[in-house]
Structures are given as structure tokens and as C-alpha cells.
Amino acid sequence: MKSKLTIGNHHTDARGTLIYNNDLDVSEVRRIYFIENNSMAFARGWQGHKIEQRWFAAIRGSFLIRIIAIDDWDTPTVTLNQEIFTLKTEDFMVLHVPEGYVSSIQALEENSKLMVMADYKIGEIQDEYRFLANYFQDNQ
């Protein structure tokens, strides 16, 4: 399965603004949480899941999300290709990261907040993999 970016939209009139994403299917979501990084210089990563999926959406500010499809969970190749996405609140972009990926998450604006949705409840399975922030080479 490949990652997918679903782009929403917004509508503004005299009553205010409505931000929506009518094409997003959340039928697999079982848990929601939020991430707020302490600093824009900090990149939270690399962390990922062999089985679990994630959906990411900036609900305040913007985020740079890098994802990598892992080839070997014990010793991944350090030069794997990275997909890079910028998520912004204005258009309610939602990035679906399927199983088999790791991610790195960095806020691009102060006080940014990222909503994360997962398809497993906390503690339901043991499926968390972490690699040092500098493990993968930036090959972009």
C-alpha cells in the first residue's frame, strides 16, 4: 500500500469559515491523539509501524512530514527514499501512512498542533519501531 494525501477545502462567508475534507474515509480509525512539538527545530522521528496505519492532519499551523517505506525492520537500509509532505491547516490536508512506514514530524510554525489517527487502540498490539533521528540519510 502507498501513502495518500487527501486534500480538503474551506468555505468562508458572513458566518465564518468551514474547513472540511469530504473525501476522507475514517472508517478504520480507532484512536485519535495530538502532537505539539516543543520547538520548530525538533523533528520527532524516526518512528513507525509494521502493522499499524496512521493519518496525520495539521489542525493548527503546519508540519513537515517525512515518511519512509521500511525494507528490513531489524536493519533498514539507510538510503531508502523519503516522501516529503507539508500539511497545512487551511486546506485540511490528511496524510494516510499505511503499515510498513516510519515517519519524522517537524512543526513549521510556532504553536502548531498535529492530529494523529490510528487504526489500533493503545496497547492492543506491540508494533512500535524507533530509529535515531540521524539514522536515515537525507537523499532529497
Side-chain angles (χ1 to χ4, degrees), residues 12-81:
T12 302
D13 61 21
R15 299 169 292 176
T17 301
L18 174 68
I19 301 171
Y20 58 91
N21 192 322
N22 293 337
D23 296 324
L24 180 65
D25 177 3
V26 294
S27 59
E28 296 180 80
V29 172
R30 303 207 39 221
R31 179 167 60 103
I32 298 174
Y33 58 95
F34 298 91
I35 294 173
E36 294 181 75
N37 286 353
N38 289 335
S39 162
M40 290 186 337
F42 174 71
R44 181 185 298 266
W46 293 93
Q47 180 177 325
H49 306 278
K50 191 187 291 189
I51 301 168
E52 294 184 62
Q53 302 177 77
R54 293 288 188 273
W55 291 262
F56 298 105
I59 61 165
R60 184 173 60 228
S62 59
F63 284 85
L64 180 71
I65 312 268
R66 295 175 184 262
I67 63 172
I68 297 174
I70 296 299
D71 60 347
D72 178 339
W73 288 94
D74 294 320
T75 312
T77 305
V78 298
T79 57
L80 293 171
N81 288 332

